[in-house]
Amino acid sequence: MNELNIHGAFLMAAAAGVAIAGAGYCSAGFPVAFAPRVDYEVGTKPTAVAPGDFDGDGLMDIVVTERNDNTVTILRNAGDRTHVPFGTYSVGEMPRIPAVGDLDGDGDLDIAVPNWGEGDNRIALLFNTGVGTFEPAVFIDSGTRPRAAAIADLDGDGAMDIVTANNGSDDLSVLFNLGDGSFATALSMPVHSQPGSTKIADLNGDGLPDLIASNRASDDVSVLINLGGRVFAETQNFGIGRTPRDEFVADVNNDGALDIMTANRRNQLTTVSVLINDGFGSFAPAMTFPGGPGPHGVVALDIDLDGFIDIATANLDEATGGGIAILLNDGAGAFGSPIMHSTGEGPAFVTSADFDNDGRPDLATANSASHGATVLLNRTGALIVDADLNNDGRVNAIDLATFLSLWSTDSPISDLTGDGDTGPQDLAALLGSWGVIE
């Protein structure tokens, strides 16, 4: 390819609004790019995923809950940008959103799985053997129909405690660790109607972890401030969008205080709500943004590496098949229109971790309609091995010529971002990779 044609490709990218990196690396705010998605077959009706280094090798594995099989599956990180099934374990009826933490203080990550099945009302605890496999589940009682779990040291004794959001009893259960991986009887903390998810975070900056729950039937978020000594303040409720399905906590406006965002879905009303923290654990009225075709899960991460926290939603939408929606932060805590990326069909939940240890946050989803999990490796702002189309160790004019010959096709070779066709975002990914592969 001659220099004129190369120049024309750069102009094509610029016309599409794409920023081009000069020496293989991009400036902050480069358009989001993913490697082609990788789908994994797991059990029936997967509902949630959580990351954790279960075998202690420094690589992030994934646990997937499988609602119809009453099981969880471990996807072990193989170290080559893929995961492999590494055991399936029976838990209670209709497992939902799990939590990961060292429950018995042995240095290995364990798993707490809430069971949403009618009449189960238990959490399954899977204790790690030390090599990434797990003992048979131990069951402890919680509230009615627990739908989500979270793990943190709530009382500062060095042992990890468990919180569940109980959809059937309109409360949170707090289970304090006795120090050996066994737990005291659950304490009930009332919230509003039908909590479906819970998180733990220090909302008022006093060093104590507070409790958050999103309530599906009352269209609000409940906040319980930790007063120390295993005591929590009276529940505060903050109105948000219709039928919040999930929540996440992160500092979206870089003021040092943790904000709350929710994925909301009721019929055709599909939004993301953001509650800005005043620094003391109270929140301004919710800001609402388009969330994708059917937001059902939400996670916050700096996906485009510009220093501001962005939002990703998992969209469980029958009409379109769903996918991941990326909402980019404008730098002031407001968010742009959703940018869709494909996953397996019907993603019900999304999580984030650096699965390939390249310093960029990646995404993983549980796909309830296609009975699988998807991993999307973030290739934003870096030399991309996938753009080396002829595998000669560099991205250059030869790769660009091949790429342009596949323009507007659905070739997996040139679909570098995994969105189903070859277009401007893929061109941005290739040009952002220009140079020698490191």
Side-chain angles (χ1 to χ4, degrees), residues 10-383:
F10 276 76
L11 289 177
M12 186 189 304
V18 171
I20 303 302
Y25 288 90
C26 72
S27 60
F30 192 76
V32 175
F34 293 101
R37 81 186 207 214
V38 181
D39 296 329
Y40 299 95
E41 185 175 347
V42 293
T44 308
K45 202 77 171 179
T47 54
V49 285
D53 179 10
F54 297 121
D55 54 1
D57 63 354
L59 302 170
M60 296 302 288
D61 312 305
I62 301 170
V63 57
V64 186
T65 54
E66 297 142 347
R67 191 181 81 175
N68 285 12
D69 295 341
N70 301 331
T71 56
V72 301
T73 291
I74 305 299
L75 296 174
R76 182 179 181 271
N77 195 321
D80 59 359
R81 297 182 174 177
T82 67
H83 288 73
V84 294
F86 198 63
T88 297
Y89 301 89
S90 295
V91 290
E93 186 178 353
M94 297 178 69
R96 301 296 289 201
I97 303 174
V100 173
D102 182 7
L103 297 175
D104 55 2
D106 64 355
D108 304 311
L109 292 179
D110 311 304
I111 304 169
V113 183
N115 296 307
W116 190 56
E118 188 75 43
D120 194 322
N121 305 335
R122 299 177 301 169
I123 313 166
L125 303 183
L126 295 170
F127 289 101
N128 198 324
T129 63
V131 294
T133 59
F134 293 85
E135 302 287 353
V138 175
F139 295 92
I140 56 176
D141 293 330
S142 66
T144 304
R145 303 199 74 182
R147 193 179 180 96
I151 293 175
D153 180 7
L154 298 175
D155 54 359
D157 65 354
M160 291 292 167
D161 310 304
I162 301 174
V163 176
T164 64
N166 306 314
N167 189 249
S169 49
D170 297 340
D171 64 351
L172 301 180
S173 288
V174 178
L175 298 101
F176 287 106
N177 197 324
L178 299 178
D180 59 357
S182 62
F183 292 83
T185 300
L187 300 178
S188 173
M189 304 287 180
V191 294
H192 259 190
S193 184
Q194 295 185 17
S197 183
T198 185
K199 299 294 185 295
I200 302 173
D202 180 9
L203 297 177
N204 60 352
D206 64 356
L208 300 174
D210 309 306
L211 308 182
I212 306 103
S214 55
N215 305 304
R216 293 186 171 207
S218 51
D219 300 332
D220 56 12
V221 166
S222 294
V223 170
L224 293 83
I225 298 297
N226 192 337
L227 302 178
R230 298 188 174 185
V231 177
F232 290 83
E234 184 176 350
T235 302
Q236 305 175 74
N237 298 301
F238 300 92
I240 50 171
R242 302 290 293 274
T243 314
R245 304 285 177 159
D246 189 23
E247 81 285 324
F248 203 82
V249 181
D251 180 7
V252 301
N253 59 353
N254 282 2
D255 65 352
L258 294 175
D259 311 303
I260 300 173
M261 58 227 64
T262 62
N264 315 311
R265 178 190 180 192
R266 181 182 295 173
N267 299 324
Q268 301 305 309
L269 297 174
T270 58
T271 61
V272 166
S273 293
V274 177
L275 293 165
I276 298 297
N277 194 332
D278 66 0
F280 302 97
S282 189
F283 296 84
M287 300 184 294
T288 300
F289 305 94
H296 201 269
V298 64
V299 69
L301 67 166
D302 182 10
I303 193 74
D304 61 350
L305 311 177
D306 65 351
F308 297 99
I309 293 295
D310 310 303
I311 295 173
T313 63
N315 289 270
L316 184 60
D317 182 62
E318 293 180 1
T320 64
I324 290 292
I326 304 295
L327 287 70
L328 296 178
N329 194 325
D330 68 358
F335 295 86
S337 299
I339 303 167
M340 296 301 298
H341 295 270
S342 68
T343 64
E345 188 176 355
F349 194 84
V350 60
T351 192
S352 178
D354 184 3
F355 292 114
D356 55 359
N357 281 2
D358 66 355
R360 294 183 291 276
D362 309 308
L363 296 171
T365 63
N367 309 318
S368 62
S370 55
H371 311 306
T374 294
V375 173
L376 290 169
L377 295 178
N378 191 348
R379 291 291 173 267
T380 301
L383 291 170

